[in-house]
Amino acid sequence: MKKFRTIIFTFLLFSICFGDMQNWKSHSANILPKKRFEVGLFQPFRYGYSETLEYSTYPAWFFVMPNISLKKSHPDFSGYKMATKWFLFYPRPLLNMASKKGIGGFIDPTLEVPPLFGISASLLLTKKISGLDVTFNSGFDIGLAFGDLDDRVNIELPLLYHRLSVFHNNYGFHTGFDIEKNIAGKLSTLVDLDFSILPGMDTKETDSGITKLLGEYSFEHKALLIYEKSETFRLLTGYKFVFGEYPFGPESRLLPFLPLIDSWI
């Protein structure tokens, strides 16, 4: 039973780390057409509820981290397509699963994890510029802990640590951009850069103003090569680079993205 739990937890961590890499389309201000849905390995289930509203959720995570995302389109702004996106999640079951001794354990099992509720809101602006599909995004993150949260309750892994640290800092900010370009025929590429900060987190009184402003921060960059064979089939590969400030100091990771297949209806 413990071995099975470790396998499931490892799979979930992998899907959380790579789901963001694979799902690039949902980062733009474009809304999925009405009554159309998409689903793929490590990718969220997306559904076009109307011409202006889209729902999505990560099915593989749902029972250990209930989550839902809403994206609403708005009138164009200065030639840009504009949308707002709200992501709501409840990570307590995931953190409880990570609370164990030995292999697969990331949190001391004697520590209590209170109910946690996370909110991430983003403004998305998309426009075609010189043959490039460019999306700018900026927003804020809120982490609500309904009880005492020990500083040691976290998972010190790339792509997870800073997302979960918002519950210790209560708030944070993020910004970034995505650039997509068709290379030839059915082959395209995407490059992005995202920056997030948790102002004031783990800073000292002697730290400079900019250090206190940034607090704990992270840079994330990914590059994808995408082959879209048809309207319902695509193949992706690439990498993701992460650099951030952790409790043990700054660290960078390069994560290869193995070829994966997506399909949708």
Side-chain angles (χ1 to χ4, degrees):
M1 183 66 181
K2 290 183 177 180
K3 185 176 180 181
F4 177 75
R5 179 183 175 184
T6 299
I7 293 173
I8 294 297
F9 182 67
T10 302
F11 171 79
L12 288 170
L13 287 183
F14 186 87
S15 69
I16 289 172
C17 289
F18 286 92
D20 179 66
M21 294 175 64
Q22 188 176 2
N23 185 39
W24 82 97
K25 288 289 189 183
S26 67
H27 294 174
S28 75
N30 297 314
I31 302 293
L32 207 61
K34 184 178 180 180
K35 294 186 178 181
R36 175 168 171 173
F37 65 85
E38 292 188 2
V39 66
L41 186 62
F42 307 132
Q43 177 182 320
F45 171 84
R46 300 172 59 204
Y47 177 70
Y49 179 77
S50 69
E51 297 300 331
T52 60
L53 183 63
E54 173 188 313
Y55 295 111
S56 66
T57 185
Y58 286 84
W61 312 357
F62 200 85
F63 294 102
V64 295
M65 191 171 74
N67 63 93
I68 187 170
S69 178
L70 307 174
K71 184 163 64 171
K72 177 75 168 62
S73 66
H74 302 280
D76 291 358
F77 174 77
S78 296
Y80 286 85
K81 287 187 177 180
M82 184 170 66
T84 49
K85 185 176 181 179
W86 297 81
F87 179 59
L88 313 176
F89 63 104
Y90 181 77
R92 187 188 190 192
L94 174 70
L95 292 172
N96 281 330
M97 183 176 284
S99 300
K100 57 176 293 189
K101 293 182 178 180
I103 299 175
F106 293 90
I107 300 172
D108 186 338
T110 63
L111 300 176
E112 183 177 351
V113 181
L116 304 170
F117 183 67
I119 305 170
S120 181
S122 302
L123 174 66
L124 307 173
L125 296 171
T126 299
K127 185 178 183 180
K128 186 174 286 293
I129 303 174
S130 300
L132 304 174
D133 292 317
V134 181
T135 296
F136 299 97
N137 74 84
S138 291
F140 62 87
D141 308 293
I142 296 176
L144 303 175
F146 299 92
D148 294 330
L149 181 62
D150 192 285
D151 291 341
R152 294 168 291 176
V153 176
N154 209 327
I155 300 176
E156 295 179 7
L157 290 176
L159 305 179
L160 286 175
Y161 175 75
H162 292 92
R163 286 166 170 78
L164 295 174
S165 290
V166 70
F167 294 103
H168 296 284
N169 202 57
N170 300 129
Y171 74 100
F173 300 98
H174 61 266
T175 188
F177 64 86
D178 297 51
I179 299 176
E180 184 180 0
K181 179 176 175 56
N182 180 267
I183 299 175
K186 299 178 180 180
L187 193 64
S188 62
T189 185
L190 176 132
V191 176
D192 79 354
L193 180 64
D194 295 297
F195 177 56
S196 63
I197 62 173
L198 297 168
M201 186 168 178
D202 287 345
T203 57
K204 306 179 182 65
E205 291 185 2
T206 56
D207 287 337
S208 64
I210 187 65
T211 301
K212 288 184 178 179
L213 174 63
L214 294 179
E216 290 199 346
Y217 61 88
S218 72
F219 288 94
E220 297 181 10
H221 155 67
K222 71 170 173 280
L224 295 177
L225 188 64
I226 307 146
Y227 174 69
E228 197 158 337
K229 183 179 180 181
S230 67
E231 291 186 355
T232 59
F233 181 90
R234 61 184 172 230
L235 180 67
L236 311 91
T237 189
Y239 69 87
K240 184 150 191 166
F241 174 77
V242 183
F243 175 79
E245 184 71 26
Y246 297 86
F248 46 81
E251 184 172 278
S252 61
R253 296 282 181 88
L254 183 63
L255 308 172
F257 185 40
L258 302 177
L260 287 174
I261 294 173
D262 267 355
S263 62
W264 64 96
I265 296 175

